[in-house]
Amino acid sequence: MIVKKHGKTLTLFACIAALELVVGVYFAWHLGYMHTDALSRVANAFYVLYSRDPHLGAIGFVWNPLPSLMELIVLLFYPLFPVLASHGLAAVIVSSLFAGAGAALLYGTGKQLGLHGGISLLIALLFSLNPFMFLFGFNGLSDSPYIFFILLTVTRFCMWLKDRKAAHLIVSGFALALAFWVRYEAIPLGIGMALGVVLTVLFLHRRRIDKDTNTTELSISERLYKVEATWLLLLLPIIFSGLLWIFFNWIIMGDPLYFLRSEYSNATQSAALLEDQRFAAMFAHPALMLQFIGQRTLWYAVPLIAILLVRLLDKRLFSWSTLTLLTIFLSVPGLQFLLMLKQSSFGWFRYFMYVLPITVAWVPYELSLLKGNMRRVGVSMVIAGMLITAGLLSYALSNPAIAADEHSYLTHSGNESYDRQLIERKIAPWLDEHYSSSLILTDSYAAYPIILSSKIPKKFIITSDYDFGKSLTDLPASKVDYVLVTRVVEGVPLDQVNRSYPDLFEKGAPWASLVRDFSGQWRLYKVEHDKELR
């Protein structure tokens, strides 16, 4: 009965997810390259199950854990399909499923709000098959699940705008919390929505509707109480999630803000920005920052412009709901501006793309407000806006000056990470063959492609192992047989091995003898133990 009732929605989900999965497998397995951020999240899940010290805390406390928790379920099948880890296919599966779910959600929302099935399907397809959105459905990054939760958050919020049912707001609040467990960008999104609630309750939902459909004007104090109550429904889940994450960082890592200021955090990694002349110039002139952020946001803003034009034609442009939409939309570039003021954002092109799902999630609600010829005009303008956006973003993908990270992923041109992964996938089988029963210490921050490609991952002593710190402090007195150390790269934060022994890679150490150099990227040293201590 459920399949029959939701057959078209399920078919859309299955088709988009399958298409994303096929392309993702082709890139990750056939071409042999996985985005490093996606692969590192797979590694975090992998350590929970298959490291020397398997425990949930091995999932890490820098990046939000939900993507790795979902990949952990897929990795249960790792013994049967090692490529789930070695080539990151666990991440591809998760991102593909969420891409399909996003398409199904848009289609279902349009139907719920009274749009024609064909229009709802077209909106869903234009969003999901937009080359840029499609890319993030198959590349295994956390963006696909985050985009899904954005869509769920904003569509349910819009349904609350229309019918005032608290159930929609509750769903929106939990979706926002789940978005936080995927990416930190959910926090400014929540702030934008909180401001949207204020605007809605004070100026739009300012009347009480009784059972007889009679309306009564609410007093200012009543509206403020309603703002408070609405905030509790919408924001309590994400506030609780944030406090829980701080608590976990405190009790496990010993620092409640470990995710913000550890040696692996974004703040540490972005320190290299000061060496980039372009960023240094922007950091010194906030006006240049605003110009840079505005230019990047405009690539995704055509659907918003289409909505504003529709509102202008429908004589609703200068309204509080327009300001609500703009407030939520501007939460994305607003975050980037604040981060760049703190000199801690790389300003990558994809960081600005979240304005597109915010806008598209608003579209079904916007069209549902239109009647007759105005709806046909609105549909035409929105569809045109989405088509123009698809063309713009297709061009951006082809231009390394605009979308450098995405272009290098698709073409491998100038992609040092791709070349490095090819080397690292060869290191793992060599270590398996020659040192299958040895203990090899390495920092998983850098060595995760090697660990994932190994058929004997338990031979590695890695960062999340309970004895890693003690072993690293005094390697000659430890039970470690070998140390695998990576080359120090200028501008890249040091891993713990290079932090403890900064000259080890280049010069070795009195207690270490070089065994093998791997293409100048990695070196394996044998630890010469003090026999009296062994």
Side-chain angles (χ1 to χ4, degrees):
M1 185 67 180
I2 294 177
V3 173
K4 185 176 180 180
K5 183 179 178 181
H6 301 284
K8 292 182 180 178
T9 304
L10 292 173
T11 300
L12 177 61
F13 162 76
C15 289
I16 296 296
L19 187 59
E20 295 273 20
L21 182 60
V22 168
V23 178
V25 169
Y26 173 77
F27 269 82
W29 191 12
H30 179 72
L31 297 182
Y33 175 62
M34 190 72 185
H35 197 290
T36 53
D37 287 355
L39 196 61
S40 67
R41 287 185 182 264
V42 174
N44 288 341
F46 185 84
Y47 306 147
V48 173
L49 296 173
Y50 304 109
S51 65
R52 285 177 61 254
D53 285 328
H55 59 287
L56 189 57
I59 208 163
F61 291 89
V62 173
W63 308 121
N64 317 57
L66 186 55
S68 293
L69 285 171
M70 293 184 290
E71 291 159 9
L72 191 152
I73 298 171
V74 182
L75 286 175
L76 292 173
F77 300 94
Y78 161 78
L80 297 175
F81 307 103
V83 292
L84 292 173
S86 63
H87 289 69
L89 294 190
V92 173
I93 291 172
V94 170
S95 66
S96 298
L97 291 174
F98 275 97
L105 175 63
L106 281 174
Y107 173 74
T109 301
K111 294 281 286 180
Q112 282 180 275
L113 289 171
L115 300 185
H116 186 274
I119 295 172
S120 299
L121 180 61
L122 187 57
I123 292 170
L125 289 176
L126 284 175
F127 177 75
S128 300
L129 299 180
N130 179 304
F132 207 81
M133 295 298 106
F134 189 81
L135 166 64
F136 287 91
F138 71 75
N139 65 4
L141 287 169
S142 62
D143 300 271
S144 182
Y146 181 63
I147 287 169
F148 170 79
F149 289 124
I150 288 178
L151 293 172
L152 185 57
T153 299
V154 178
T155 55
R156 298 312 106 169
F157 181 78
C158 288
M159 293 178 77
W160 170 75
L161 289 177
K162 190 165 187 178
D163 62 21
R164 306 192 187 189
K165 291 182 179 178
H168 296 313
L169 209 60
I170 293 171
V171 173
S172 182
F174 277 99
L176 183 61
L178 289 170
F180 166 79
W181 288 109
V182 177
R183 296 189 67 87
Y184 295 115
E185 285 91 337
I187 296 173
L189 175 60
I191 293 172
M193 295 188 69
L195 294 174
V197 165
V198 174
L199 295 171
T200 300
V201 173
L202 292 184
F203 303 108
L204 295 176
H205 292 180
R206 63 177 184 264
R207 291 182 177 85
R208 182 189 297 110
I209 302 175
D210 60 27
K211 294 181 180 179
D212 298 322
T213 67
N214 296 318
T215 60
T216 305
E217 185 85 16
L218 295 172
S219 67
I220 289 295
S221 60
E222 287 177 310
R223 277 181 261 171
L224 290 175
Y225 285 134
K226 190 175 179 182
V227 167
E228 182 182 2
T230 307
W231 275 358
L232 285 174
L233 286 177
L234 180 66
L235 302 177
L236 194 58
I238 190 173
I239 292 173
F240 178 76
S241 295
L243 293 174
L244 198 61
W245 187 233
I246 290 171
F247 176 71
F248 286 153
N249 275 259
W250 175 47
I251 63 168
I252 296 176
M253 303 308 296
D255 180 0
L257 298 179
Y258 177 84
F259 64 97
L260 278 180
R261 56 194 183 194
S262 73
E263 62 268 30
Y264 305 119
S265 67
N266 180 71
T268 302
Q269 294 185 36
S270 58
L273 289 172
L274 295 175
E275 301 173 12
D276 188 311
Q277 292 184 352
R278 183 179 58 138
F279 280 99
M282 281 194 291
F283 293 155
H285 300 89
L288 292 177
M289 287 186 213
L290 286 172
Q291 181 183 0
F292 173 81
I293 290 168
Q295 289 172 344
R296 299 227 147 182
T297 304
L298 278 174
W299 285 92
Y300 306 95
V302 177
L304 174 69
I305 295 171
I307 291 175
L308 297 179
L309 287 174
V310 169
R311 287 188 161 235
L312 178 63
L313 293 174
D314 200 38
K315 299 179 181 178
R316 293 183 297 111
L317 178 62
F318 300 103
S319 65
W320 293 109
S321 61
T322 300
L323 190 55
T324 298
L325 170 60
L326 292 175
T327 299
I328 300 172
F329 180 95
L330 291 173
S331 67
V332 177
L335 170 66
Q336 291 305 312
F337 181 66
L338 290 176
L339 289 176
M340 293 188 77
L341 282 176
K342 295 185 65 176
Q343 304 176 356
S344 59
S345 173
F346 290 89
W348 286 331
F349 191 65
R350 67 185 172 100
Y351 286 172
F352 301 87
M353 74 173 171
Y354 306 125
V355 298
L356 183 57
I358 287 173
T359 308
V360 173
W362 187 280
V363 163
Y365 164 72
E366 188 65 35
L367 296 180
S368 73
L369 301 177
L370 305 175
K371 306 297 180 185
N373 289 333
M374 196 62 229
R375 177 173 289 190
R376 285 189 286 273
V377 171
V379 169
S380 299
M381 294 184 71
V382 167
I383 296 303
M386 295 181 73
L387 285 170
I388 292 170
T389 301
L392 286 172
L393 294 180
S394 297
Y395 171 73
L397 287 174
S398 69
N399 190 334
I402 300 169
D405 189 50
E406 292 75 23
H407 181 268
S408 67
Y409 171 81
L410 291 171
T411 64
H412 298 163
S413 59
N415 193 328
E416 295 181 3
S417 297
Y418 172 69
D419 298 333
R420 189 179 176 94
Q421 275 186 31
L422 294 179
I423 295 171
E424 290 164 343
R425 287 206 174 101
K426 294 177 182 178
I427 295 174
W430 189 88
L431 293 175
D432 288 348
E433 179 183 354
H434 292 87
Y435 302 104
S436 59
S437 58
S438 301
L439 283 178
I440 304 173
L441 183 141
T442 190
D443 191 330
S444 52
Y445 163 73
Y448 58 89
I450 300 172
I451 299 165
L452 291 176
S453 297
S454 173
K455 294 181 179 179
I456 317 169
K458 291 185 180 292
K459 70 172 176 288
F460 294 101
I461 298 181
I462 60 174
T463 321
S464 60
D465 291 347
Y466 294 116
D467 56 352
F468 177 84
K470 182 179 179 181
S471 299
L472 184 64
T473 301
D474 191 356
L475 283 168
S478 72
K479 57 185 177 182
V480 173
D481 299 306
Y482 297 89
V483 178
L484 185 64
V485 59
T486 187
R487 177 175 63 90
V488 176
V489 179
E490 186 177 355
V492 176
L494 296 176
D495 62 32
Q496 290 197 43
V497 177
N498 277 313
R499 192 181 294 272
S500 299
Y501 305 99
D503 297 324
L504 180 60
F505 183 88
E506 293 293 343
K507 301 178 182 179
W511 45 264
S513 56
L514 179 64
V515 175
R516 187 178 178 92
D517 178 279
F518 299 97
S519 303
Q521 297 294 333
W522 290 88
R523 286 181 178 174
L524 183 70
Y525 284 91
K526 180 177 175 57
V527 178
E528 305 294 343
H529 292 284
D530 186 336
K531 294 182 180 179
E532 294 181 1
L533 296 173
R534 285 180 66 85

